[in-house]
Amino acid sequence: MVATLAPLAPRVPEAISLTALLTFGGTVLLLTVGAAICGLYLLTCRIWPFRNCRRCKGLGRLHAPNRKAWRDCPKCEGTGRRLRIGRRLWNHAERAKRNAI
């Protein structure tokens, strides 16, 4: 009997094809990963409901080109913070639940 030796080089995993992802297991995997990402985003919105204003970069004011004069940012009303979209949805759902009772 002739013994064959296993190759010494590690096997390179094959790329996952699109048809393999469209199977039932692939669909369940994609849905699970998507639900986990959405859950983490909602948790983030629950813990940190505000983000920096994109217009004034969190400063709360807009400077003139000469950097001497400034005015309050109209987007964030001078606070430098904006409510995240996920937190807005969370607040809307809470308000709808509270008003339904």
Side-chain angles (χ1 to χ4, degrees), residues 41-93:
Y41 178 69
L42 286 176
L43 180 67
T44 301
C45 289
R46 180 80 172 149
I47 297 171
W48 299 288
F50 295 100
R51 63 173 173 85
N52 284 341
C53 177
R54 291 168 70 187
R55 190 169 199 185
C56 65
K57 299 180 180 82
L59 294 176
R61 56 184 174 235
L62 298 173
H63 291 277
N66 63 5
R67 305 293 286 170
K68 291 182 181 178
W70 59 271
R71 63 185 171 95
D72 286 340
C73 177
K75 282 271 197 189
C76 63
E77 299 174 350
T79 62
R81 301 285 181 192
R82 295 290 308 256
L83 200 58
R84 293 181 191 270
I85 293 171
R87 185 58 190 217
R88 263 188 236 139
L89 292 173
W90 183 285
N91 289 346
H92 178 72

Side-chain angles (χ1 to χ4, degrees), residues 23-42:
T23 62
F24 178 73
T27 304
V28 170
L29 177 68
L30 287 175
L31 289 175
T32 305
V33 169
I37 290 172
C38 288
L40 288 174
Y41 178 69
L42 286 176

